[in-house]
Amino acid sequence: MQQTNRLRPFFENITFDRDDNELVLNFGPQHPSAHGQLRLMLHLQQEQIVKAHPDVGYLHRGMEKMAENMIYNEFMPTTDRMDYIASSSNNYGFALAVEELIGLEVPRRAKVIRMMLLETNRLMSHLFWLATTALDIGAMTVFLYAFREREYLMDLIEDYCGARLTHSAVRIGGVPLDLPDNFMGDLRKFLEKLPENIKDYEDLLDTNRIWKMRMEKVGVISTEMALSWGCTGPMLRASGVKWDIRKEEPYELYDEVDFDVPYSDKGDNYARYKIYMMEMRESAKILHQLIPMYFDTTPELMAHAPKYISAPKIDIMTQNYSLMQHFVLVTQGMRPPVGEVYIPTESPKGELGFYINSQGGPYPYRLKLRAPSFWHTGILTDLLPGHYIPDVVSIIGTTNIVFGEVDR
Amino acid sequence: MRAYTDKKDVQKKAYYTDRYWVAPQVPKSTVESDEVFAADLEAIKAKFDVIEAYIQVKQMVVMIKPEDNYGVLELLKDECDYTQLSEMSAIDWIADKGQLEVFYQLLSMNKRKRIRVKCFIDQEQAVESVNPLFRSADWAEREAYDMLGLKVNNHPFMKRILMPDDWEGHPLHKTYPLQGDEFAQWYEVDKIFGKEARDIIGPENRDPAMVDRYDTERFGRLGHEVPRGAEPKESKGPEPTTPLAYQEDDGVFMIEKFEEEKSVVIRDRDR
């Protein structure tokens, strides 16, 4: 029986503090521009923010706890749910951390395919960012165009692994599948069109008066502040630090491809917007270079390490020892050596790090997910005061936070 | 208070381990093998005690005393150019030694090097907050407190970050149950309806506790289903009416009061 008096409707969104004329505004967690589940408690003097408390945790699923009770391969689909806009980058970050822990070398073709997945995911994420941020600011047209291009990429990923959002397309030790026949052709076609599309977005936004008013000199993050708050990725690069993990601490084949790291010393929303646009071009450049690299490789897809990785399907079906090994690896799980690693990768949002402490068991003893968005949400505490209410939306937009990753 | 008092490690265990199996180690190398790390370690050793230091998977790990954490991080930031605190958290070793292992993951962008500073701390002891050095520690320390019960001194705003403020227990403890215990299971019911409603709602209706048990339209009668819109069975006596009332006696500003008597329930779906 419902006790109606315990569920009384009342206006919890606004309270007036009569003493000092300060207004407390509760922004979210269901606000459409809160990018999921962000709740902000804003203390206002007139329309100016004097204090901001970001409140997170509405999407907390306890992934670190889940990881401690799963075998390593079992955890892979869970990583999809972190940054669900670019889930292959999470898969990859986890796979790379476990590979470093057990010291595996991945076959070259798998590396190329992984890089293709990472860069298509970066494009997807940036397009999604552009679409939603433009929509938040009020530019509906850009939203439609950017989602159209993102749809092509999703189709491409779907052709590869069958999923559109939660890919699980990377395995520890390699990738599960080779690229389908139509993949390269479709990718080429897409890459031919992409520069025009990016130019279209820029034509719509770059000199747009409203866009510039909402973006320029709004949400300025100084270099010290960005470093101190642990900002990474485009957030840090827009604040004058030229730091891209792909370039500085290269993993996979990023040292073999040629690309630039765009950065800016402005630190405002507009700088971040420009960096996202430029990064899309760089990703396209990397993808262009990957196509011939793919054809130079031999067809191995998974590393050969019988202690940790199952043999190829053909061996499992024909050879007794491979079948036994596979059975043990599936039922008990692999047992990485005792030790710990912290492996950072450059996800579309910033530095995605996996800290794994293994005690030699089939379950990680401790797994810490270092998600970039967590710190990009934290910085709102220091960033928002001094700004006005409409700036909140554009600042949240350009921080590009995804709550699957903040709350984990 | 929650009833759960078991202090054992309740995490999942390997169900079979070969008795002769010895776990291999991730290789460690000495700090001297890397010039940059060796210089950093010298700088730390000049002022603080270093219990252990080695390089593992390209990163230096330095074990220090827990009371030195602020000093060491300040030195690394000001003198050794480690400008960013990427990550900070703890590991639960309470079952083994009654301690938490705190780690600080630092990054130097100019040297392209990463250091992990670690210390063991007794469960009852507190570490000093490094928030004045790195603002990122603000949220990291709150998370470490929330998830592992790490105590932090001089933190500006120590409050749970991911779990609700009134949550009991720290989820990443090895003793924390894997299935929701009584407190966790009834958390929403207790919050919304009060503890006395537990018996009325019952475990079978616990999760959709917001749903009126006597509402036949919205699938609330789990286990007691009737055809859509039909009267509930009379087996448990006459069904009470569920009044909907506003907090304000005179209604809410700008909202027209809903009068139940005048309203019509449309039973014909296809109308």
Side-chain angles (χ1 to χ4, degrees), chain A residues 73-309:
Chain A
N73 281 317
E74 213 178 347
F75 186 60
M76 188 60 80
T78 316
T79 58
D80 281 338
R81 275 82 181 164
M82 284 174 66
D83 174 4
Y84 40 76
I85 303 301
S87 49
S88 293
S89 55
N90 311 323
N91 300 154
Y92 175 72
F94 177 63
L96 184 69
V98 180
E99 281 155 15
E100 293 282 340
L101 188 66
I102 55 189
L104 271 189
E105 183 59 29
V106 174
R108 193 172 163 89
R109 176 164 290 190
K111 285 185 175 177
V112 175
I113 294 175
R114 282 168 167 209
M115 276 175 71
M116 282 186 167
L117 289 171
L118 289 178
E119 293 310 318
T120 41
N121 270 273
R122 196 178 310 276
L123 279 172
M124 272 164 69
S125 169
H126 284 7
L127 284 168
F128 184 87
W129 169 83
L130 180 70
T132 50
T133 307
L135 188 66
D136 286 347
I137 308 273
M140 182 102 186
T141 324
V142 181
F143 168 80
L144 294 171
Y145 284 142
F147 257 55
R148 182 187 63 190
E149 264 67 70
R150 181 166 170 266
E151 194 62 28
Y152 292 139
L153 285 167
M154 303 246 278
D155 287 347
L156 210 61
I157 294 271
E158 198 180 351
D159 282 346
Y160 175 64
C161 66
R164 287 160 60 81
L165 278 179
T166 51
H167 308 149
S168 296
V170 179
R171 297 283 182 278
I172 298 166
V175 286
L177 301 159
D178 208 342
L179 296 176
D181 294 340
N182 62 340
F183 192 91
M184 287 301 181
D186 289 354
L187 182 64
R188 272 206 194 95
K189 252 184 256 164
F190 175 78
L191 289 177
E192 268 165 33
K193 274 199 71 189
L194 187 69
E196 292 168 33
N197 293 324
I198 297 176
K199 191 167 177 302
D200 283 350
Y201 312 143
E202 287 185 337
D203 287 348
L204 282 167
L205 295 174
D206 259 7
T207 48
N208 185 317
R209 215 171 85 216
I210 304 169
W211 183 259
K212 282 182 108 168
M213 278 160 72
R214 297 291 298 273
M215 292 298 217
E216 270 182 339
K217 300 197 181 89
V218 172
V220 180
I221 303 176
S222 66
T223 310
E224 295 74 40
M225 190 176 167
L227 286 172
S228 173
W229 261 107
C231 285
T232 45
M235 287 279 276
L236 184 64
R237 289 195 281 277
S239 298
V241 183
K242 193 180 178 187
W243 176 263
D244 187 321
I245 299 171
R246 290 177 295 170
K247 203 78 169 174
E248 310 294 334
E249 300 170 312
Y251 47 90
E252 295 300 318
L253 305 172
Y254 278 113
D255 45 354
E256 293 182 24
V257 291
D258 170 47
F259 66 101
D260 294 327
V261 179
Y263 74 108
S264 159
D265 53 4
K266 293 281 193 299
D268 60 354
N269 280 346
Y270 197 78
R272 266 165 255 151
Y273 153 70
K274 288 305 284 180
I275 282 176
Y276 282 114
M277 302 306 272
M278 284 190 259
E279 279 193 8
M280 281 202 258
R281 293 209 170 88
E282 296 306 318
S283 285
K285 208 159 115 188
I286 296 175
L287 282 170
H288 267 303
Q289 296 170 52
L290 285 172
I291 295 172
M293 280 166 82
Y294 172 82
F295 293 109
D296 287 344
T297 53
T298 48
E300 285 90 44
L301 291 175
M302 291 289 279
H304 179 72
K307 265 166 82 181
Y308 305 111
I309 312 287

Side-chain angles (χ1 to χ4, degrees), chain A residues 4 335 338 340 365-366 408, chain B residues 16 24 89-90 92 118 143 243:
Chain A
T4 44
R335 292 171 194 240
V338 181
E340 51 177 22
Y365 189 80
R366 174 87 167 93
R408 302 184 296 276
Chain B
Y16 171 76
S89 193
D92 173 17
K118 302 207 292 181
E143 197 193 330

